[in-house]
Amino acid sequence: MSSQPLSMSQQTATKQTERMEKIVSLCKRRGFIFQSSEIYGGLNGFWDYGPLGAELKRNVKDLWWKSMTKMREDVVGLEASIIMHPTIWKASGHVDTFADPMVDCLLTKKRFRADQVDPQSGVVYSYTGAKDEASGKEVNEPYSVLLPAGKPPESARKVAVQFYSQRGLANPALVGESTEKVENTTRYNPENGSLLTEPRMFNLMFKSHAGPVESDENVVYLRPETAQAIFVQFKNVLETSRQKVPFGIAQIGKAFRNEINPRNYTFRSREFEQMELEFFIKPDEIVEKQAGGIAQLSDSTDLNEPQANWGWEVWHKYWVEQRMSWYESIGLGRETLEEYWQKKDELAHYARATVDILYKFPFGTQELEGIAARGNFDLSQHQQFSGKSMEYFDQEAAAKYVPHVIEPSAGVDRLILALICNAYDEEEVTDEKGNKEVRTVMHFHPRVAPIKVGVFPLLKNKPALVQKALEVRDLLRPFMNVFYDDTGAIGRRYRRQDEAGTPFGITIDFDTLGENGPEKEGTVTLRHRDSMEQERVKISDLLSILLPKIQ
Ligand code: GAP
């Protein structure tokens, strides 16, 4: 029997699935990402970072922190507790509205996020109930099963019989069968055709209790975002940092969401890290009063240098540009990203504009970061719920106001996944003997690469080579992450570092020791991961060559 050829889009989807599987396998094999609690069977939605992943993550967070705080006059940092006063989450709206619609399969009890069930078409087989002939027992609960077109009705009846058996009938005879053609319904489990429950809202915050008594008064939440701590500490930071509006507060930290359906590897996890900035700006009416007008985006404003006449719209666009440039600076080119400007009807009720920065993952183009213009919603809410003023006295404007905010909010783990997907490559290369082989290489930007340089003595049993290599390692180690490796053929050592994404390799050979003449003494070969080219450089020049590339 000949099988149907796959369409172009099916072929692309299969390739992307295979690519993702290879990436997941490399991450485990090389120690980037492990399943949390793996020896106990894992825990859905939780992940651990191995030696290479931990370095990669640290580099990314350090680079964000550097660009957001150290390189700017107008942003300061905060490191707040994860568990905070529960009224914060009432004020922010999380207690009442931070929920996703959830549905359960009536047969297997498997839980889905209602808005993530793929639409399906086919024939629905409905039953009014079932009866057990022997005992005469009846179940009058309606139930239905969706079958894709062309499948025999028996398949639906088998599923329905299973359903009524679970309702206590030993040998159910189905009652009142009817059929109906349907298109694009999301009411059925795509895995077995069973009817799903009606959607119910499920709050995503993890709950716990502070102190030894598990009572309603002691309920606390693991923060679902880092942002709220910034709002509630706004006044303290303002008073201690001597900043003036416009200015920002940045924070990196863990966030927790009890996602109904964690999926796509680490993309949607239950524990993850965020890098968030709340950038406080003057309300437009104050800007207008002071500057005599508001700069319009259409004025072809230079977005590099903030100006006194910038209203929220230009500040928002400024931060979108800043963030896109930052992604580029760590190796995610603009061609790998998309800006999605949310439409008016998609915006949260307090947001004036939101731009999502999306990355083209193998499993689809998905959000890395959201940049929202949130007005003064958050500070006003905390002012109302705490009874403490969140107003700022602007001396230059001689006015008091609750500042507005622009919020670039990025997920560390999603960015790590994007960097890993972006770096992964398989190349056909020819070895010294002319044999073709596949080289797996991670093309990380040197700034984020977990290991910056591999140091290799040509032979491990030549003490002079080993001693020189250790000297080179010790020269570089205070400035960058170095991996020393003296095991196996040099080609294999290069390949191992290619897989780890190490951008540079240094080999210490007999030329280095001056055994082939004095002109090459004190030089090493410097190998570049991406081009695989090698050059001869002086050991004394190594730092000045490497440092600008990794900083
Ligand atoms: N303070 C705004 C806020 O939290 P969000 O869009 O819900 O906005 C911001 O989250 C970023 O946090 C997302 O763009 C994403 O990168 C990351 N993020 C959110 N939920 C996540 C999850 N379940 N797993 C991994 N990262 C997540």
Side-chain angles (χ1 to χ4, degrees):
M1 216 169 57
S2 67
S3 57
Q4 288 274 344
L6 293 178
S7 69
M8 278 302 277
S9 63
Q10 282 170 323
Q11 283 177 29
T12 314
T14 310
K15 269 200 184 139
Q16 292 300 342
T17 308
E18 279 170 12
R19 181 176 165 81
M20 203 56 219
E21 281 166 6
K22 285 180 181 169
I23 289 171
V24 171
S25 149
L26 178 130
C27 282
K28 161 126 179 88
R29 180 161 43 84
R30 292 311 311 262
F32 281 96
I33 300 174
F34 305 128
Q35 209 184 1
S36 161
S37 327
E38 194 191 274
I39 60 167
Y40 288 97
L43 189 61
N44 195 9
F46 296 88
W47 300 93
D48 294 342
Y49 289 84
L52 290 179
E55 293 293 340
L56 179 62
K57 212 173 178 197
R58 194 165 286 260
N59 291 343
V60 165
K61 289 192 284 181
D62 285 350
L63 286 162
W64 185 90
W65 191 256
K66 184 174 167 195
S67 87
M68 283 297 194
T69 66
K70 295 186 180 162
M71 301 301 285
R72 298 186 67 104
E73 290 293 315
D74 56 357
V75 179
V76 289
L78 178 72
E79 188 134 349
S81 62
I82 286 173
I83 293 178
M84 301 186 286
H85 196 289
T87 310
I88 289 174
W89 306 112
K90 197 82 193 135
S92 66
H94 284 83
V95 170
D96 296 325
T97 59
F98 192 57
D100 279 338
M102 174 181 76
V103 285
D104 296 327
C105 172
L106 281 170
L107 190 67
T108 61
K109 309 284 177 281
K110 186 168 171 182
R111 194 152 272 187
F112 298 87
R113 226 175 92 173
D115 54 349
Q116 287 176 352
V117 176
D118 289 333
Q120 303 161 85
S121 302
V123 180
V124 169
Y125 286 75
S126 301
Y127 305 92
T128 53
K131 190 173 178 182
D132 186 52
E133 299 294 356
S135 65
K137 196 173 160 190
E138 286 180 22
V139 173
N140 293 317
E141 188 183 336
Y143 178 66
S144 55
V145 181
L146 174 71
L147 282 193
K151 266 201 145 189
E154 268 321 306
S155 322
R157 290 173 193 145
K158 224 167 129 182
V159 175
V161 164
Q162 267 181 296
F163 171 79
Y164 287 110
S165 305
Q166 287 179 2
R167 295 290 186 277
L169 299 187
N171 203 3
L174 301 170
V175 178
E177 182 179 277
S178 63
T179 59
E180 188 194 356
K181 269 193 175 168
V182 292
E183 293 210 354
N184 296 323
T185 173
T186 53
R187 295 287 302 117
Y188 294 87
N189 181 347
E191 292 161 13
N192 59 10
S194 167
L195 184 67
L196 299 165
T197 58
E198 288 295 329
R200 284 161 294 150
M201 292 315 273
F202 171 75
N203 194 294
L204 300 185
M205 282 196 293
F206 278 98
K207 242 187 205 178
S208 188
H209 295 89
V213 184
E214 285 199 13
S215 68
D216 285 351
E217 294 85 71
N218 297 334
V219 165
V220 287
Y221 302 96
L222 301 192
R223 67 181 176 202
E225 61 171 24
T226 60
Q228 293 306 320
I230 298 180
F231 295 121
V232 301
Q233 291 294 4
F234 166 71
K235 271 296 179 77
N236 276 335
V237 174
L238 180 69
E239 278 154 24
T240 51
S241 64
R242 302 180 61 212
Q243 288 286 342
K244 286 184 187 155
V245 174
F247 83 103
I249 305 176
Q251 178 168 222
I252 300 178
K254 288 273 189 183
F256 303 82
R257 295 183 189 178
N258 199 1
E259 298 285 355
I260 295 168
N261 205 359
R263 58 182 190 168
N264 288 331
Y265 199 23
T266 58
F267 180 83
R268 189 174 301 287
S269 308
R270 290 182 168 141
E271 174 178 339
F272 55 97
E273 265 182 293
Q274 289 185 315
M275 307 185 286
E276 296 200 294
L277 169 71
E278 303 302 329
F279 195 80
F280 299 99
I281 56 172
K282 303 179 189 216
D284 275 10
E285 55 276 19
I286 301 286
V287 175
E288 190 157 21
K289 204 172 99 188
Q290 278 188 285
I294 306 266
Q296 302 299 314
L297 276 178
S298 51
D299 295 345
S300 58
T301 315
D302 172 8
L303 286 175
N304 290 311
E305 208 44 57
Q307 301 295 326
N309 65 350
W310 283 12
W312 73 264
E313 246 180 324
V314 179
W315 272 116
H316 182 237
K317 177 80 177 147
Y318 164 84
W319 277 111
V320 174
E321 275 308 307
Q322 288 286 313
R323 299 300 304 136
M324 290 294 280
S325 308
W326 185 75
Y327 285 116
E328 257 184 310
S329 77
I330 59 167
L332 293 184
R334 289 205 179 215
E335 72 291 352
T336 69
L337 302 172
E338 262 177 37
E339 272 176 36
Y340 178 75
W341 290 71
Q342 287 189 13
K343 302 192 181 69
K344 283 266 171 292
D345 60 345
E346 294 170 319
L347 291 174
H349 63 94
Y350 48 77
R352 293 175 164 189
T354 299
V355 172
D356 295 332
I357 297 182
L358 316 176
Y359 174 75
K360 296 172 188 162
F361 287 99
F363 47 81
T365 302
Q366 305 253 8
E367 179 186 329
L368 273 189
E369 167 160 357
I371 302 159
R374 297 172 69 103
N376 63 5
F377 172 78
D378 304 273
L379 287 181
S380 301
Q381 285 292 101
H382 290 302
Q383 176 165 282
Q384 189 194 327
F385 277 73
S386 68
K388 303 274 170 11
S389 166
M390 289 291 167
E391 281 182 325
Y392 169 76
F393 179 65
D394 191 324
Q395 276 182 331
E396 288 157 17
K400 246 186 183 183
Y401 53 81
V402 176
H404 288 221
V405 77
I406 309 290
E407 177 195 69
S409 169
V412 182
D413 308 78
R414 282 193 188 174
L415 176 51
I416 297 298
L417 186 56
L419 289 169
I420 288 174
C421 293
N422 197 55
Y424 184 87
D425 196 11
E426 286 174 1
E427 294 172 356
E428 195 176 76
V429 291
T430 312
D431 69 13
E432 316 83 62
K433 293 180 192 138
N435 300 323
K436 286 203 183 324
E437 59 171 357
V438 174
R439 168 172 100 120
T440 303
V441 52
M442 299 293 278
H443 294 289
F444 289 124
H445 190 289
R447 289 197 184 105
V448 295
I451 302 167
K452 307 301 182 192
V453 59
V455 173
F456 317 117
L458 187 63
L459 298 170
K460 132 185 192 177
N461 56 3
K462 294 282 180 247
L465 288 176
V466 170
Q467 192 196 331
K468 201 50 153 183
L470 290 173
E471 272 173 33
V472 171
R473 179 198 69 181
D474 292 345
L475 168 79
L476 302 177
R477 208 146 65 164
F479 305 95
M480 63 193 78
N481 203 5
V482 183
F483 190 82
Y484 175 84
D485 187 3
D486 59 12
T487 321
I490 197 74
R492 287 184 63 82
R493 285 184 258 170
Y494 286 152
R495 288 287 181 275
R496 285 203 288 263
Q497 289 310 308
D498 288 345
E499 268 198 344
T502 307
F504 306 105
I506 293 170
T507 305
I508 288 83
D509 55 17
F510 293 106
D511 285 350
T512 315
L513 304 179
E515 290 194 8
N516 299 321
E519 67 282 1
K520 289 193 176 165
E521 187 174 353
T523 65
V524 290
T525 57
L526 176 64
R527 176 188 183 262
H528 298 264
R529 174 198 64 202
D530 296 345
S531 63
M532 293 192 289
E533 274 168 16
Q534 301 189 14
E535 54 176 329
R536 201 85 212 166
V537 303
K538 287 189 190 147
I539 293 174
S540 55
D541 288 343
L542 278 173
L543 276 175
S544 60
I545 295 171
L546 296 178
L547 278 178
K549 294 190 161 55
I550 63 169
Q551 278 169 349

